[in-house]
Amino acid sequence: MEEEDQALFIQEPQHRPSVSTMEAQGIPVIDLSPVTSSNPSISSIDALVKEIGSACKEWGFFQVTNHGVPLSLRRNLLEASKNFFSQSLQEKKKVSRDESSPSGYYDTELTRNVRDWKEVFDFLAKEPTFFPVTADELDDRVTQLSNKSPQHPSHFRDIIQEYIEEMEKLAFKLMELIAMSLGLQPKRLEEFFMRGQTSLIRLNYYPPCPFPHIALGVGPHKDESALTILAQDEVEGLEVKHKTHQEWVRVKPTPNDYIINVGDIIQVWSNDAYESVEHRAIVNSEKERFSIPYFFFPAHDTEVKPLEELTNEKSPSKYRPYKSGKFLLSRMNSNFKKQTDENIQIHYYKLA
Ligand code: OGA
Ligand code: NI
């Protein structure tokens, strides 16, 4: 990152990482072999669906093993990510993100108006990706976004594309399990992703930080996605807000497993049965850390609202509909530029 004024990174006291952290009990670990092995039994799938349902309800976060994504692919992408970020700032800036496209490199992201101690490379899962031109709800214009590809490492684009395919497969499997756990048809949520997606993969690089007690790698936030699949390296940093204790729980590094979290869109579809849970990443003064989230998003013009099957007279819809792409764009704009207002949050769409 560029030498910058330390003050930009300083978190409000209540957001600083030194507050008590619950270590004892971690997020649930779920074995996906019933849906990744060749001949699963119905009873093992039923049990898996129940596990997923309670993890989504109680934590909004879980870890998956036997997920079917080749470990070599993940290692290769982490390696490529390290190679990319180890270049000079000047090299990295050749593929800088700009306001016309969310894809590319940048080191200036804000979360809730405070700078994150990180560098990022964003890559769209689909090319082109159809996206609104502005976040204004009355503006119907749509644009086509494409990716920026670094020259180095040379195989970057191939690896990232191969990895995205694996992420998508896993995301569809998880969506089926989540749908079933909500009592829906297994393919109920698939339709939202078939007309297009705004899914995005992000390479996160958290350099060592000289003042880790007052800054954060990524400030507390909820993901705007339907769900997120996170690969993290062997350095810890991710913390999840425990839903009932409201304390930060450190997630142990998971070099072979993936961390899954429910995003804002599932929260709305499920009419709050499953909530998008706040999380953040802390940094440390010695080690660098790499993580790779894949954010699974439906087509930009998807009208997100509670599903009919999950609402009735007794439990009416808790949200007014919103367009997935408009919400994402509005958040992206606010993460790019410091604003005077709090940035957009899913509770803005909540009906009183
Ligand atoms: C994110 C995120 C956590 C991490 O990028 O949205 O929550 O551990 N990252 O890097
Ligand atoms: Ni996140």
Side-chain angles (χ1 to χ4, degrees), residues 122-142:
D122 282 343
F123 197 89
L124 300 159
K126 302 285 174 191
E127 220 166 5
T129 290
F130 293 88
F131 212 59
V133 174
T134 69
D136 179 353
E137 283 176 34
L138 302 172
D139 184 349
D140 298 334
R141 288 174 301 157
V142 172

Side-chain angles (χ1 to χ4, degrees), residues 202 204 206 218 221 223 230 238 279 281 289 291 293 295:
R202 164 168 288 185
N204 278 316
Y206 303 102
V218 52
H221 67 281
D223 292 347
L230 177 82
L238 175 63
H279 54 285
R289 174 170 181 264
S291 75
F295 302 104

